[in-house]
Amino acid sequence: MSTQARVVSTHVDSYWAATAGPEPDGIRTLEGDRRAEVAVIGGGYTGLAAAYRLAGTHGLDTVVLEANPIGWGASGRNGGFANISVGKVALEDRIRRWGVEAARRSIAVGVEALDTVRELIAREHIACDPGQDGYVLVAHRPSAVADLQERVRLYRDVLGYPHVEFLHRARLREGYLNGPEAFAAMRTRDAIGLHPMKYVRGLAAAALRRGATLCAHSPVTEWRREGAQHVLVTPRGVVRAHRVVMATNGYMPEGLHPFFRGRVLPATSNIIVTRALTAAQWRDVGMRTTQVYADTRKLLFYWRRLPDDRLLFGGRAGLTDTPAGQRRCRERLESHIVAKWPVLRGVTSEYFWSGKVCLSYDLMPHVGTVDGDSSVAYALAYQGSGVAMSSYCGGLAADLLAGKDVPRDTPLTAAPIPRFPLPALRQAYLAGAYVVYGVKDRWG
């Protein structure tokens, strides 16, 4: 199986790239033939966490192959929200469809994922600017308030998760948020904001210290089998490995392996970052905290106060990756900042960029091995909440390939990732969803 890959030499022009500092030492480009016990395709959070575990814990000779610079994809472009989200299946739907125990286990998995990030930052001394604990989900209109109250009840009374609270409007205005789209909120303790590119580079340095080989600018253009070996061809070299981890998420080249065709749907998320706001502007906005925020829209907006007092603001949608389409997305985000905080009228963005989040048909992340071949593992489809989940799932994929007993009672591992029905229509599904969700967000 072969595919064409376009190699990009630099990161997108983002606030993260401008403030991340240098790349880690020791990253190379694959040259010539290389044998390894495990090859990892993808040099983002998932692939680096897998390599860290494979080389450091299991002692396996591991090579990471990244098409572009390390962390070039979603791992270097996201909003830096590390939280306990596990997919996009609503809490009440988990309880109804899976049962209370499985729903409770999904919360525990999310907490384990965030703990993985915290432990990696502490153990490896990753300087990635972690913020205050907390994720605030804001009711953007009055009709969403009752839903948040019910979610808090489900978390606390049904699932036994105590670290969540309801913030009525008056409490919300006591240092959390002001504005015409802030009617109440649900605050979850287990979340942090961080600098995503500093974090991915810290993971890369940690994997290198553990003995993994990291190869950037080394896209896999062909993948074939020769007996028990996987042969991964790049423009300037070849890796022959006994086992492979697929860790490309929303940037997956589907033509490389038949199992992955039609199983993921990349969707665009866009981010702007403003100039530093003044102390008076932050008082008007009401955010005296560096916790992370989102609202209750289906096509949600998310935002945070950065350490240098800039506002980061992001949102989904956008189907065309053209200059005109990108300009419309940027203008849309700027207009929604004004809708949320009219006092910020005239504050435009200094940075704008976009990236791909990865959706699955069942709206859940998945970790497993391909059908009929336990030598190929995958971890992917984090539904736009991948900082913590990918760090956790990369380690699970590593454990699978190392032969470790991985629990099968979690929503991540209980079933293989499903294929989309009529996968050629995936972009049409997405466009239709944007229309429906947009109407619901506006009119309820």
Side-chain angles (χ1 to χ4, degrees):
M1 283 108 11
S2 62
T3 187
Q4 296 294 318
R6 186 171 69 94
V7 179
V8 178
S9 60
T10 60
H11 293 279
V12 297
D13 183 18
S14 71
Y15 172 80
W16 303 132
T19 58
E23 300 274 0
D25 293 331
I27 298 171
R28 64 188 72 176
T29 298
L30 183 68
E31 302 275 359
D33 286 3
R34 170 75 153 80
R35 294 185 181 271
E37 291 173 283
V38 186
V40 178
I41 305 175
Y45 299 144
T46 303
L48 295 172
Y52 177 86
R53 184 80 61 87
L54 287 162
T57 301
H58 301 301
L60 297 174
D61 181 26
T62 303
V63 177
V64 175
L65 299 172
E66 165 58 44
N68 300 299
I70 293 295
W72 178 85
S75 297
R77 305 188 194 197
N78 65 84
F81 290 43
N83 56 34
I84 63 171
S85 295
V86 182
K88 290 297 182 185
V89 178
L91 207 58
E92 59 271 22
D93 291 336
R94 296 187 205 183
I95 294 168
R96 184 179 67 253
R97 286 158 43 185
W98 306 349
V100 170
E101 287 307 314
R104 186 176 291 138
R105 178 66 176 130
S106 72
I107 303 302
V109 165
V111 173
E112 290 172 25
L114 180 60
D115 287 345
T116 297
V117 173
R118 294 185 190 277
E119 291 164 6
L120 283 166
I121 291 172
R123 183 187 310 123
E124 300 299 335
H125 307 288
I126 301 175
C128 59
D129 309 329
Q132 295 169 299
D133 291 355
Y135 170 68
V136 183
L137 182 62
V138 181
H140 73 287
R141 62 184 181 202
S143 60
V145 173
D147 177 64
L148 290 185
Q149 290 175 310
E150 175 62 9
R151 287 197 218 182
V152 171
R153 186 192 73 81
L154 291 175
Y155 269 118
R156 298 180 68 91
D157 299 343
V158 178
L159 300 179
Y161 175 73
H163 306 302
V164 62
E165 60 179 325
F166 178 76
L167 306 176
H168 53 73
R169 192 170 193 176
R171 175 85 188 284
L172 190 61
R173 296 190 173 208
E174 294 174 354
Y176 287 102
L177 197 68
N178 297 331
E181 292 189 358
F183 292 93
M186 179 184 75
R187 178 184 176 273
T188 306
R189 183 197 69 181
D190 290 314
I192 56 171
L194 50 74
H195 191 303
M197 193 170 288
K198 289 182 179 180
Y199 176 60
V200 76
R201 289 180 178 175
L203 279 182
L208 286 165
R209 287 193 296 270
R210 294 294 181 108
T213 299
L214 307 188
C215 299
H217 311 294
S218 302
V220 178
T221 58
E222 182 182 354
W223 180 353
R224 64 179 186 267
R225 291 293 294 264
E226 291 182 0
Q229 288 190 324
H230 297 271
V231 181
L232 305 179
V233 179
T234 75
R236 300 171 69 175
V238 175
V239 172
R240 301 175 188 275
H242 297 294
R243 287 160 280 185
V244 177
V245 177
M246 189 62 143
T248 50
N249 205 39
Y251 292 83
M252 178 181 294
E254 290 193 346
L256 275 182
H257 194 289
F259 174 83
F260 297 104
R261 292 194 182 111
R263 294 187 191 264
V264 299
L265 171 56
T268 300
S269 193
N270 306 285
I271 293 176
I272 58 176
V273 172
T274 70
R275 62 161 172 78
L277 303 185
T278 66
Q281 287 172 321
W282 278 117
R283 282 196 299 272
D284 289 337
V285 170
M287 289 172 61
R288 295 199 296 269
T289 172
T290 57
Q291 298 175 62
V292 296
Y293 290 73
D295 67 20
T296 48
R297 286 176 168 85
K298 294 290 187 182
L299 297 175
L300 61 81
F301 293 110
Y302 52 92
W303 63 94
R304 51 182 290 216
R305 181 176 181 171
L306 298 176
D308 60 0
D309 285 332
R310 295 172 184 264
L311 172 67
L312 177 148
F313 192 81
R316 306 285 187 255
L319 293 169
T320 57
D321 193 20
T322 63
Q326 294 288 303
R327 185 175 61 253
R328 287 193 296 271
C329 287
R330 185 173 192 165
E331 292 170 351
R332 174 175 174 265
L333 291 177
E334 290 176 343
S335 69
H336 278 285
I337 285 180
V338 176
K340 285 187 176 296
W341 306 290
V343 296
L344 298 185
R345 184 176 302 278
V347 176
T348 57
S349 55
E350 292 191 352
Y351 294 91
F352 168 79
W353 69 95
S354 62
K356 301 296 185 184
V357 302
C358 185
L359 310 178
S360 61
Y361 183 66
D362 61 0
L363 299 179
M364 290 297 294
H366 287 273
V367 182
T369 56
V370 307
D371 295 342
D373 187 355
S374 61
S375 70
V376 180
Y378 60 87
L380 70 170
Y382 308 116
Q383 320 301 317
S385 297
V387 176
M389 193 52 54
S390 60
S391 303
Y392 178 72
C393 290
L396 283 183
D399 288 346
L400 277 174
L401 285 192
K404 184 177 177 180
D405 186 22
V406 172
R408 296 291 182 173
D409 63 340
T410 77
L412 307 176
T413 57
I417 184 169
R419 185 170 274 113
F420 278 82
L422 302 174
L425 299 179
R426 279 173 289 174
Q427 285 300 311
Y429 298 157
L430 190 61
Y434 283 169
V435 171
V436 172
Y437 289 159
V439 170
K440 288 183 176 181
D441 287 340
R442 179 168 294 187
W443 305 109

